[in-house]
Amino acid sequence: MSDPGSVSGGTGLEASAAAGVDQLSHVDDSSQKQKKPRSLWSDAWGDLRTKPTFIISLVIIAIIVLMAIWPTLFTSVDPRAADLDKSLQSPSGDAWFGYDLQGYDVFARAMHGARASLLVGIFATLLTVLIGSTVGIIAGYAKTWIDSLLSRFSDIFAGIPFVLGAIVILTTLNAPTENPGVFRIITQVVLSIAVLSWPVAMRIMRSATLVAKQQDYVKAARGLGASPLRIVFRHLLPNTVAPVLVYATIALGAFIGAEATLAFLGIGLRPPVVSWGVMISESRDYFQSAPHMLLFPAGFVTITVLAFVMLGDAVRDALDPKSR
């Protein structure tokens, strides 16, 4: 006969062992969850949330985007409602930013002008990154002679001074006495900026592709017979987009400044388009008598460019593993 005590003791030992195994399994599961590798993007987001420059720039950009989408939220005044009796009046309670030469409310025009300036910056950035990234990833992954051909082709555009190139393009497309429509002039300005700026994005993408294609995962995919398109879209593009994203963030602000520069020279956006660049262009002859006409739109351009530069710097630091 077996001893009842030994049976109960054995049962107790088995229960304890089972509980211990169950506890160890929970510990192992929790440790595996804790050791789960995080991606570069999740690490970057965690780092960005703690950066004051990122938060401040994001708030400024959000306000500017809100101005562009819904300007009537900030003012109910028609930006094209002129009153010559109020021409060149200084800022007051009725008009916070004063009036311009034609009697337009400068504050209302600044709110509505954000849309055209931001549209030019966004579309010029998208087109620049699209052209530059496509040419850059082809040049970086393709054979030597294709790389050399595309690199020399980009050098031609990179060697053209931006202002001179824009003057040639825009004056060629539009006669001096011609007044193109809103859609046409915005399209021409966007194309001019993209044509003269894509080599920068191309060089960034090409450099990133040259580094990425030497990695083991690309060599393994090539050895397993993956097609070039699969290697580019599945392996190269996700690992080379970070530096281009940083460039795009900074370039967007620079392109908004470029729009103002072209408008100031009289070859960019022009009336009836309302933009910050147009407002600066209209105020250049009246700075001494009515400085508010220039200072307020120029201030919006400066703050917007600074916000995008701050955002780009924060994103660059967050996506650079060497900085952490």
PDB file of all heavy atoms in Angstrom, residues 7 11 24-25 28 52 54 96 100 102 110 181 183 193 197-198 200 217 232 240 242 261 264 271 286 288 306 308:
ATOM      1  N   VAL A   7       1.548  10.342  -1.087  1.00  0.00           N
ATOM      2  CA  VAL A   7       0.735  10.715  -2.254  1.00  0.00           C
ATOM      3  C   VAL A   7       0.407  12.196  -2.231  1.00  0.00           C
ATOM      4  O   VAL A   7       0.522  12.916  -3.213  1.00  0.00           O
ATOM      5  CB  VAL A   7      -0.557   9.868  -2.273  1.00  0.00           C
ATOM      6  CG1 VAL A   7      -1.489  10.351  -3.368  1.00  0.00           C
ATOM      7  CG2 VAL A   7      -0.205   8.409  -2.490  1.00  0.00           C
ATOM      8  N   THR A  11       1.640  15.028  -4.783  1.00  0.00           N
ATOM      9  CA  THR A  11       0.697  15.918  -5.486  1.00  0.00           C
ATOM     10  C   THR A  11       1.049  17.378  -5.242  1.00  0.00           C
ATOM     11  O   THR A  11       0.984  18.222  -6.143  1.00  0.00           O
ATOM     12  CB  THR A  11      -0.726  15.642  -5.008  1.00  0.00           C
ATOM     13  OG1 THR A  11      -1.011  14.268  -5.184  1.00  0.00           O
ATOM     14  CG2 THR A  11      -1.728  16.480  -5.784  1.00  0.00           C
ATOM     15  N   LEU A  24       7.313  30.852 -14.668  1.00  0.00           N
ATOM     16  CA  LEU A  24       8.474  31.072 -15.540  1.00  0.00           C
ATOM     17  C   LEU A  24       8.030  31.419 -16.953  1.00  0.00           C
ATOM     18  O   LEU A  24       8.646  32.232 -17.634  1.00  0.00           O
ATOM     19  CB  LEU A  24       9.369  29.825 -15.557  1.00  0.00           C
ATOM     20  CG  LEU A  24      10.184  29.580 -14.278  1.00  0.00           C
ATOM     21  CD1 LEU A  24      10.898  28.228 -14.387  1.00  0.00           C
ATOM     22  CD2 LEU A  24      11.186  30.710 -14.070  1.00  0.00           C
ATOM     23  N   SER A  25       6.933  30.752 -17.385  1.00  0.00           N
ATOM     24  CA  SER A  25       6.447  31.035 -18.738  1.00  0.00           C
ATOM     25  C   SER A  25       5.962  32.473 -18.843  1.00  0.00           C
ATOM     26  O   SER A  25       6.192  33.151 -19.850  1.00  0.00           O
ATOM     27  CB  SER A  25       5.310  30.075 -19.109  1.00  0.00           C
ATOM     28  OG  SER A  25       4.185  30.275 -18.271  1.00  0.00           O
ATOM     29  N   ASP A  28       9.026  34.596 -18.989  1.00  0.00           N
ATOM     30  CA  ASP A  28       9.658  34.524 -20.301  1.00  0.00           C
ATOM     31  C   ASP A  28       8.878  35.333 -21.319  1.00  0.00           C
ATOM     32  O   ASP A  28       9.452  36.033 -22.159  1.00  0.00           O
ATOM     33  CB  ASP A  28       9.765  33.061 -20.754  1.00  0.00           C
ATOM     34  CG  ASP A  28      10.763  32.281 -19.903  1.00  0.00           C
ATOM     35  OD1 ASP A  28      11.627  32.915 -19.270  1.00  0.00           O
ATOM     36  OD2 ASP A  28      10.651  31.040 -19.894  1.00  0.00           O
ATOM     37  N   PRO A  52      11.396  69.984 -27.513  1.00  0.00           N
ATOM     38  CA  PRO A  52      10.592  71.221 -27.544  1.00  0.00           C
ATOM     39  C   PRO A  52      10.548  71.853 -28.937  1.00  0.00           C
ATOM     40  O   PRO A  52       9.516  72.405 -29.331  1.00  0.00           O
ATOM     41  CB  PRO A  52      11.304  72.132 -26.534  1.00  0.00           C
ATOM     42  CG  PRO A  52      12.083  71.209 -25.656  1.00  0.00           C
ATOM     43  CD  PRO A  52      12.482  70.057 -26.520  1.00  0.00           C
ATOM     44  N   PHE A  54      10.530  70.381 -31.798  1.00  0.00           N
ATOM     45  CA  PHE A  54       9.564  69.659 -32.618  1.00  0.00           C
ATOM     46  C   PHE A  54       8.141  70.079 -32.273  1.00  0.00           C
ATOM     47  O   PHE A  54       7.320  70.324 -33.172  1.00  0.00           O
ATOM     48  CB  PHE A  54       9.747  68.155 -32.402  1.00  0.00           C
ATOM     49  CG  PHE A  54       8.707  67.317 -33.096  1.00  0.00           C
ATOM     50  CD1 PHE A  54       8.752  67.115 -34.463  1.00  0.00           C
ATOM     51  CD2 PHE A  54       7.673  66.725 -32.376  1.00  0.00           C
ATOM     52  CE1 PHE A  54       7.789  66.346 -35.112  1.00  0.00           C
ATOM     53  CE2 PHE A  54       6.718  65.949 -33.005  1.00  0.00           C
ATOM     54  CZ  PHE A  54       6.780  65.763 -34.368  1.00  0.00           C
ATOM     55  N   TRP A  96      -5.822  95.194 -37.734  1.00  0.00           N
ATOM     56  CA  TRP A  96      -4.655  94.939 -36.885  1.00  0.00           C
ATOM     57  C   TRP A  96      -3.343  95.164 -37.618  1.00  0.00           C
ATOM     58  O   TRP A  96      -2.364  95.583 -37.021  1.00  0.00           O
ATOM     59  CB  TRP A  96      -4.714  93.505 -36.359  1.00  0.00           C
ATOM     60  CG  TRP A  96      -5.840  93.271 -35.414  1.00  0.00           C
ATOM     61  CD1 TRP A  96      -6.677  94.211 -34.882  1.00  0.00           C
ATOM     62  CD2 TRP A  96      -6.266  92.018 -34.878  1.00  0.00           C
ATOM     63  NE1 TRP A  96      -7.596  93.633 -34.045  1.00  0.00           N
ATOM     64  CE2 TRP A  96      -7.373  92.279 -34.018  1.00  0.00           C
ATOM     65  CE3 TRP A  96      -5.840  90.713 -35.031  1.00  0.00           C
ATOM     66  CZ2 TRP A  96      -8.041  91.276 -33.330  1.00  0.00           C
ATOM     67  CZ3 TRP A  96      -6.494  89.699 -34.341  1.00  0.00           C
ATOM     68  CH2 TRP A  96      -7.582  89.983 -33.502  1.00  0.00           C
ATOM     69  N   ASP A 100      -3.143  98.496 -47.156  1.00  0.00           N
ATOM     70  CA  ASP A 100      -2.113  98.709 -48.167  1.00  0.00           C
ATOM     71  C   ASP A 100      -2.501  99.855 -49.079  1.00  0.00           C
ATOM     72  O   ASP A 100      -3.434 100.630 -48.787  1.00  0.00           O
ATOM     73  CB  ASP A 100      -1.849  97.425 -48.950  1.00  0.00           C
ATOM     74  CG  ASP A 100      -3.057  96.981 -49.767  1.00  0.00           C
ATOM     75  OD1 ASP A 100      -4.078  97.707 -49.784  1.00  0.00           O
ATOM     76  OD2 ASP A 100      -2.979  95.901 -50.393  1.00  0.00           O
ATOM     77  N   GLN A 102      -3.997 100.011 -51.972  1.00  0.00           N
ATOM     78  CA  GLN A 102      -5.332  99.949 -52.554  1.00  0.00           C
ATOM     79  C   GLN A 102      -6.441  99.951 -51.506  1.00  0.00           C
ATOM     80  O   GLN A 102      -7.621  99.889 -51.859  1.00  0.00           O
ATOM     81  CB  GLN A 102      -5.457  98.673 -53.404  1.00  0.00           C
ATOM     82  CG  GLN A 102      -4.438  98.562 -54.519  1.00  0.00           C
ATOM     83  CD  GLN A 102      -4.566  99.676 -55.543  1.00  0.00           C
ATOM     84  OE1 GLN A 102      -5.679 100.147 -55.807  1.00  0.00           O
ATOM     85  NE2 GLN A 102      -3.445 100.094 -56.100  1.00  0.00           N
ATOM     86  N   ALA A 110      -3.116  88.556 -45.413  1.00  0.00           N
ATOM     87  CA  ALA A 110      -2.099  87.652 -44.860  1.00  0.00           C
ATOM     88  C   ALA A 110      -2.706  86.298 -44.508  1.00  0.00           C
ATOM     89  O   ALA A 110      -2.088  85.251 -44.725  1.00  0.00           O
ATOM     90  CB  ALA A 110      -1.454  88.281 -43.627  1.00  0.00           C
ATOM     91  N   GLY A 181      -3.473  83.143 -65.964  1.00  0.00           N
ATOM     92  CA  GLY A 181      -4.465  82.823 -64.955  1.00  0.00           C
ATOM     93  C   GLY A 181      -3.843  82.272 -63.687  1.00  0.00           C
ATOM     94  O   GLY A 181      -2.641  81.976 -63.620  1.00  0.00           O
ATOM     95  N   PHE A 183      -4.355  79.342 -62.035  1.00  0.00           N
ATOM     96  CA  PHE A 183      -3.872  77.963 -62.106  1.00  0.00           C
ATOM     97  C   PHE A 183      -2.593  77.869 -62.923  1.00  0.00           C
ATOM     98  O   PHE A 183      -1.661  77.146 -62.564  1.00  0.00           O
ATOM     99  CB  PHE A 183      -4.955  77.070 -62.715  1.00  0.00           C
ATOM    100  CG  PHE A 183      -4.545  75.638 -62.888  1.00  0.00           C
ATOM    101  CD1 PHE A 183      -4.538  74.765 -61.805  1.00  0.00           C
ATOM    102  CD2 PHE A 183      -4.138  75.156 -64.130  1.00  0.00           C
ATOM    103  CE1 PHE A 183      -4.139  73.443 -61.958  1.00  0.00           C
ATOM    104  CE2 PHE A 183      -3.739  73.841 -64.287  1.00  0.00           C
ATOM    105  CZ  PHE A 183      -3.750  72.985 -63.205  1.00  0.00           C
ATOM    106  N   ILE A 193      10.418  75.656 -59.828  1.00  0.00           N
ATOM    107  CA  ILE A 193      11.146  75.309 -58.602  1.00  0.00           C
ATOM    108  C   ILE A 193      11.597  73.856 -58.641  1.00  0.00           C
ATOM    109  O   ILE A 193      12.743  73.529 -58.288  1.00  0.00           O
ATOM    110  CB  ILE A 193      10.268  75.583 -57.372  1.00  0.00           C
ATOM    111  CG1 ILE A 193       9.986  77.081 -57.225  1.00  0.00           C
ATOM    112  CG2 ILE A 193      10.938  75.053 -56.098  1.00  0.00           C
ATOM    113  CD1 ILE A 193       9.023  77.432 -56.103  1.00  0.00           C
ATOM    114  N   SER A 197      15.482  72.257 -58.636  1.00  0.00           N
ATOM    115  CA  SER A 197      15.837  71.786 -57.288  1.00  0.00           C
ATOM    116  C   SER A 197      15.975  70.278 -57.174  1.00  0.00           C
ATOM    117  O   SER A 197      16.508  69.795 -56.161  1.00  0.00           O
ATOM    118  CB  SER A 197      14.785  72.273 -56.275  1.00  0.00           C
ATOM    119  OG  SER A 197      14.649  73.672 -56.311  1.00  0.00           O
ATOM    120  N   TRP A 198      15.508  69.500 -58.138  1.00  0.00           N
ATOM    121  CA  TRP A 198      15.510  68.047 -57.981  1.00  0.00           C
ATOM    122  C   TRP A 198      16.902  67.415 -57.850  1.00  0.00           C
ATOM    123  O   TRP A 198      17.021  66.336 -57.251  1.00  0.00           O
ATOM    124  CB  TRP A 198      14.744  67.383 -59.125  1.00  0.00           C
ATOM    125  CG  TRP A 198      15.395  67.474 -60.474  1.00  0.00           C
ATOM    126  CD1 TRP A 198      15.177  68.414 -61.420  1.00  0.00           C
ATOM    127  CD2 TRP A 198      16.360  66.570 -61.040  1.00  0.00           C
ATOM    128  NE1 TRP A 198      15.936  68.174 -62.532  1.00  0.00           N
ATOM    129  CE2 TRP A 198      16.673  67.044 -62.325  1.00  0.00           C
ATOM    130  CE3 TRP A 198      16.989  65.418 -60.573  1.00  0.00           C
ATOM    131  CZ2 TRP A 198      17.596  66.404 -63.156  1.00  0.00           C
ATOM    132  CZ3 TRP A 198      17.911  64.780 -61.399  1.00  0.00           C
ATOM    133  CH2 TRP A 198      18.199  65.264 -62.677  1.00  0.00           C
ATOM    134  N   VAL A 200      19.279  68.005 -55.874  1.00  0.00           N
ATOM    135  CA  VAL A 200      19.645  67.829 -54.465  1.00  0.00           C
ATOM    136  C   VAL A 200      19.021  66.547 -53.910  1.00  0.00           C
ATOM    137  O   VAL A 200      19.694  65.735 -53.261  1.00  0.00           O
ATOM    138  CB  VAL A 200      19.208  69.050 -53.637  1.00  0.00           C
ATOM    139  CG1 VAL A 200      19.585  68.858 -52.174  1.00  0.00           C
ATOM    140  CG2 VAL A 200      19.830  70.324 -54.183  1.00  0.00           C
ATOM    141  N   TYR A 217      20.971  42.118 -46.444  1.00  0.00           N
ATOM    142  CA  TYR A 217      19.607  41.753 -46.819  1.00  0.00           C
ATOM    143  C   TYR A 217      19.358  41.987 -48.313  1.00  0.00           C
ATOM    144  O   TYR A 217      18.578  41.267 -48.936  1.00  0.00           O
ATOM    145  CB  TYR A 217      18.584  42.513 -45.977  1.00  0.00           C
ATOM    146  CG  TYR A 217      18.708  44.015 -46.010  1.00  0.00           C
ATOM    147  CD1 TYR A 217      18.102  44.756 -47.015  1.00  0.00           C
ATOM    148  CD2 TYR A 217      19.398  44.692 -45.013  1.00  0.00           C
ATOM    149  CE1 TYR A 217      18.189  46.139 -47.042  1.00  0.00           C
ATOM    150  CE2 TYR A 217      19.490  46.074 -45.032  1.00  0.00           C
ATOM    151  CZ  TYR A 217      18.902  46.793 -46.041  1.00  0.00           C
ATOM    152  OH  TYR A 217      18.994  48.157 -46.065  1.00  0.00           O
ATOM    153  N   VAL A 232      14.052  47.028 -55.081  1.00  0.00           N
ATOM    154  CA  VAL A 232      13.962  48.485 -54.920  1.00  0.00           C
ATOM    155  C   VAL A 232      12.820  48.862 -53.987  1.00  0.00           C
ATOM    156  O   VAL A 232      13.006  49.639 -53.036  1.00  0.00           O
ATOM    157  CB  VAL A 232      13.802  49.156 -56.302  1.00  0.00           C
ATOM    158  CG1 VAL A 232      13.397  50.620 -56.121  1.00  0.00           C
ATOM    159  CG2 VAL A 232      15.092  49.072 -57.094  1.00  0.00           C
ATOM    160  N   THR A 240      15.900  53.945 -47.410  1.00  0.00           N
ATOM    161  CA  THR A 240      16.573  55.135 -47.933  1.00  0.00           C
ATOM    162  C   THR A 240      15.685  56.374 -47.889  1.00  0.00           C
ATOM    163  O   THR A 240      16.137  57.460 -48.265  1.00  0.00           O
ATOM    164  CB  THR A 240      17.010  54.903 -49.395  1.00  0.00           C
ATOM    165  OG1 THR A 240      15.868  54.527 -50.184  1.00  0.00           O
ATOM    166  CG2 THR A 240      18.057  53.806 -49.488  1.00  0.00           C
ATOM    167  N   ALA A 242      14.418  57.949 -45.286  1.00  0.00           N
ATOM    168  CA  ALA A 242      14.579  58.846 -44.137  1.00  0.00           C
ATOM    169  C   ALA A 242      15.347  60.128 -44.474  1.00  0.00           C
ATOM    170  O   ALA A 242      14.875  61.229 -44.167  1.00  0.00           O
ATOM    171  CB  ALA A 242      15.252  58.100 -42.989  1.00  0.00           C
ATOM    172  N   THR A 261      10.373  85.167 -53.201  1.00  0.00           N
ATOM    173  CA  THR A 261      11.452  85.784 -53.967  1.00  0.00           C
ATOM    174  C   THR A 261      11.042  86.010 -55.418  1.00  0.00           C
ATOM    175  O   THR A 261      11.254  87.092 -55.981  1.00  0.00           O
ATOM    176  CB  THR A 261      12.710  84.901 -53.916  1.00  0.00           C
ATOM    177  OG1 THR A 261      13.110  84.713 -52.556  1.00  0.00           O
ATOM    178  CG2 THR A 261      13.848  85.537 -54.700  1.00  0.00           C
ATOM    179  N   PHE A 264       8.513  88.750 -55.661  1.00  0.00           N
ATOM    180  CA  PHE A 264       9.139  90.058 -55.463  1.00  0.00           C
ATOM    181  C   PHE A 264       9.820  90.538 -56.741  1.00  0.00           C
ATOM    182  O   PHE A 264       9.825  91.737 -57.047  1.00  0.00           O
ATOM    183  CB  PHE A 264      10.152  89.976 -54.323  1.00  0.00           C
ATOM    184  CG  PHE A 264      10.827  91.274 -54.011  1.00  0.00           C
ATOM    185  CD1 PHE A 264      10.191  92.219 -53.232  1.00  0.00           C
ATOM    186  CD2 PHE A 264      12.097  91.558 -54.492  1.00  0.00           C
ATOM    187  CE1 PHE A 264      10.808  93.433 -52.934  1.00  0.00           C
ATOM    188  CE2 PHE A 264      12.719  92.755 -54.213  1.00  0.00           C
ATOM    189  CZ  PHE A 264      12.071  93.697 -53.430  1.00  0.00           C
ATOM    190  N   PRO A 271      -1.069  89.342 -58.884  1.00  0.00           N
ATOM    191  CA  PRO A 271      -2.518  89.547 -58.762  1.00  0.00           C
ATOM    192  C   PRO A 271      -3.247  88.999 -59.992  1.00  0.00           C
ATOM    193  O   PRO A 271      -2.700  89.032 -61.099  1.00  0.00           O
ATOM    194  CB  PRO A 271      -2.646  91.068 -58.666  1.00  0.00           C
ATOM    195  CG  PRO A 271      -1.320  91.526 -58.141  1.00  0.00           C
ATOM    196  CD  PRO A 271      -0.314  90.581 -58.741  1.00  0.00           C
ATOM    197  N   TYR A 286       6.838 101.239 -50.960  1.00  0.00           N
ATOM    198  CA  TYR A 286       6.161 102.031 -49.934  1.00  0.00           C
ATOM    199  C   TYR A 286       6.655 101.693 -48.537  1.00  0.00           C
ATOM    200  O   TYR A 286       5.952 101.923 -47.556  1.00  0.00           O
ATOM    201  CB  TYR A 286       4.639 101.799 -50.003  1.00  0.00           C
ATOM    202  CG  TYR A 286       4.064 102.059 -51.374  1.00  0.00           C
ATOM    203  CD1 TYR A 286       3.867 101.012 -52.268  1.00  0.00           C
ATOM    204  CD2 TYR A 286       3.743 103.351 -51.776  1.00  0.00           C
ATOM    205  CE1 TYR A 286       3.355 101.248 -53.529  1.00  0.00           C
ATOM    206  CE2 TYR A 286       3.229 103.598 -53.042  1.00  0.00           C
ATOM    207  CZ  TYR A 286       3.041 102.542 -53.922  1.00  0.00           C
ATOM    208  OH  TYR A 286       2.541 102.778 -55.166  1.00  0.00           O
ATOM    209  N   GLN A 288       9.035 103.050 -46.672  1.00  0.00           N
ATOM    210  CA  GLN A 288       9.280 104.190 -45.782  1.00  0.00           C
ATOM    211  C   GLN A 288       7.988 104.828 -45.288  1.00  0.00           C
ATOM    212  O   GLN A 288       7.889 105.249 -44.141  1.00  0.00           O
ATOM    213  CB  GLN A 288      10.140 105.228 -46.508  1.00  0.00           C
ATOM    214  CG  GLN A 288      11.555 104.745 -46.791  1.00  0.00           C
ATOM    215  CD  GLN A 288      12.420 105.818 -47.427  1.00  0.00           C
ATOM    216  OE1 GLN A 288      11.920 106.884 -47.810  1.00  0.00           O
ATOM    217  NE2 GLN A 288      13.711 105.559 -47.531  1.00  0.00           N
ATOM    218  N   LEU A 306      11.246  79.258 -40.798  1.00  0.00           N
ATOM    219  CA  LEU A 306      11.931  78.847 -39.572  1.00  0.00           C
ATOM    220  C   LEU A 306      11.269  77.619 -38.955  1.00  0.00           C
ATOM    221  O   LEU A 306      11.963  76.709 -38.461  1.00  0.00           O
ATOM    222  CB  LEU A 306      11.926  80.004 -38.569  1.00  0.00           C
ATOM    223  CG  LEU A 306      12.601  79.730 -37.215  1.00  0.00           C
ATOM    224  CD1 LEU A 306      14.072  79.408 -37.414  1.00  0.00           C
ATOM    225  CD2 LEU A 306      12.438  80.948 -36.297  1.00  0.00           C
ATOM    226  N   PHE A 308       9.618  75.163 -40.473  1.00  0.00           N
ATOM    227  CA  PHE A 308       9.943  73.961 -41.242  1.00  0.00           C
ATOM    228  C   PHE A 308      11.416  73.577 -41.085  1.00  0.00           C
ATOM    229  O   PHE A 308      11.751  72.384 -41.076  1.00  0.00           O
ATOM    230  CB  PHE A 308       9.607  74.169 -42.716  1.00  0.00           C
ATOM    231  CG  PHE A 308       8.154  73.968 -43.038  1.00  0.00           C
ATOM    232  CD1 PHE A 308       7.323  75.043 -43.281  1.00  0.00           C
ATOM    233  CD2 PHE A 308       7.610  72.691 -43.075  1.00  0.00           C
ATOM    234  CE1 PHE A 308       5.975  74.863 -43.564  1.00  0.00           C
ATOM    235  CE2 PHE A 308       6.263  72.497 -43.356  1.00  0.00           C
ATOM    236  CZ  PHE A 308       5.446  73.596 -43.602  1.00  0.00           C
TER     237      PHE A 308
END
